[in-house]
Amino acid sequence: MESTEQEIAVFMRKISFITIHPKIIDSYRQFGVFKSAEAAGLAKITATDLRDFAADKHGSIDGAPYGGGDGMVMRADCLAAALASVRTNFLGDSSEKKIKVIFTSPAGKLWAHQEAKAFAESDESLVFICGRFAGVDQRFIDAHVDEEYSIGDVVLAGGELPTMMIAESILRLIPGVLGDEGSAAEDSFGEGLDGRLEYPSYTRPPEWQGHKVPDVLMSGNHQAIGKWRREESLRITKKFRPKLLFS
Ligand code: SAH
């Protein structure tokens, strides 16, 4: 290995999901950036079945909440056993501090581009804990979770979609994962747009149901197109995410 650039190019991020539905993860792994990141050797993704670490032969990984209430709570001991196995069997020689254990819940910090960028730039292996039912025993969170994120002020039925969403937003920012190197920077929140939202896009046909493509985009004048896009990006950001203009 001669240059740092080459070392970065071959570095493989390890991403693991602990879930009662590994098939959801394994299915999604076959598409889009999950697939291309793995095919390019830039990521290795696994799903660990929490039921393999069940407390009894019936596959129990949850229990009724102490104090009463609806729903079942995922057991700390089963989750800890699954995490220990991931550390030993998947993450192998990675040192402790290079592993981040991430849990998602409505109580977490709101996930956003800045977080995705920071994770994409780090060399940490990621272990995602996918909650189900009423959630996870707080003692597991306190003992093992490094970061807790929410994907918005809504309640989903499980952590599989939130964690895959988070992983996807990280993966696409790793250089080489997207086909066109520049494209992530040119998307919303990217450096190419000064962190703003993207401008509107158009394609063929030039006229559809009486609506024409803006003339400037057909002009071939790249300077004018660039100016129009910057102005539109600013207008849309002001309208939908004004806070971005002051961050
Ligand atoms: N009882 C919990 C919700 C549990 S939903 C509460 O009232 O807060 C089951 C699981 O889905 C959660 O443990 C979490 O992993 C996932 N989940 C649900 N909504 C989410 C959100 N907005 N962001 C991230 N994860 C979420």
Side-chain angles (χ1 to χ4, degrees), residues 11-238:
F11 182 73
M12 193 193 298
R13 295 293 295 274
K14 287 184 174 174
I15 300 181
S16 173
F17 295 81
I18 294 174
T19 167
I20 59 164
H21 293 307
K23 281 183 184 165
I24 298 179
I25 315 291
D26 284 335
S27 160
Y28 197 63
R29 266 179 67 200
Q30 298 170 46
F31 304 94
V33 298
F34 275 52
K35 183 182 175 184
S36 47
E38 288 206 272
L42 294 166
K44 174 101 189 75
I45 299 163
T46 62
T48 297
D49 191 343
L50 183 59
R51 301 252 181 230
D52 292 345
F53 302 88
D56 56 33
K57 63 178 190 313
H58 308 294
S60 306
I61 48 84
D62 56 348
Y66 284 121
D70 288 341
M72 299 295 271
V73 177
M74 294 173 98
R75 291 175 58 137
D77 52 352
C78 304
L79 283 163
L83 179 59
S85 165
V86 168
R87 282 188 192 276
T88 314
N89 300 317
F90 179 57
L91 302 178
D93 54 10
S94 307
S95 67
E96 284 284 317
K97 63 176 191 292
K98 294 215 163 179
I99 298 169
K100 274 272 160 71
V101 178
I102 300 171
F103 177 58
T104 67
S105 90
K109 184 179 179 219
L110 203 58
W111 182 255
H113 183 78
Q114 285 314 313
E115 281 75 27
K117 198 162 173 279
F119 276 106
E121 284 166 2
S122 88
D123 59 356
E124 294 154 335
S125 298
L126 306 178
V127 182
F128 289 103
I129 309 296
C130 303
R132 278 266 152 189
F133 320 121
V136 164
D137 189 308
Q138 187 62 37
R139 291 169 296 179
F140 175 80
I141 299 171
D142 294 342
H144 290 294
V145 169
D146 298 307
E147 306 287 349
E148 189 168 340
Y149 291 106
S150 168
I151 55 89
D153 289 348
V154 291
V155 178
L156 300 177
E160 286 76 12
L161 291 175
T163 56
M164 286 194 300
M165 187 194 101
I166 287 172
E168 176 161 311
S169 66
I170 296 170
L171 284 170
R172 66 189 298 286
L173 295 178
I174 294 176
V177 168
L178 293 184
D180 173 3
E181 281 278 340
S183 57
E186 296 303 318
D187 282 324
S188 293
F189 314 111
E191 296 83 19
L193 291 173
D194 292 332
R196 296 174 190 155
L197 298 175
E198 199 188 42
Y199 45 80
S201 301
Y202 299 85
T203 185
R204 287 173 289 186
E207 185 169 341
W208 177 72
Q209 295 192 342
H211 299 285
K212 285 187 175 162
V213 172
D215 286 340
V216 62
L217 299 179
M218 314 291 265
S219 70
N221 179 342
H222 291 289
Q223 218 179 342
I225 293 170
K227 183 168 174 283
W228 181 87
R229 285 179 167 167
R230 276 192 302 279
E231 286 168 358
E232 283 296 290
S233 163
L234 192 59
R235 179 183 67 77
I236 287 169
T237 308
K238 257 188 199 154

Side-chain angles (χ1 to χ4, degrees), residues 1-12:
M1 200 61 60
E2 282 187 0
S3 75
T4 320
E5 217 172 275
Q6 271 174 307
E7 280 170 40
I8 290 167
V10 297
F11 182 73
M12 193 193 298

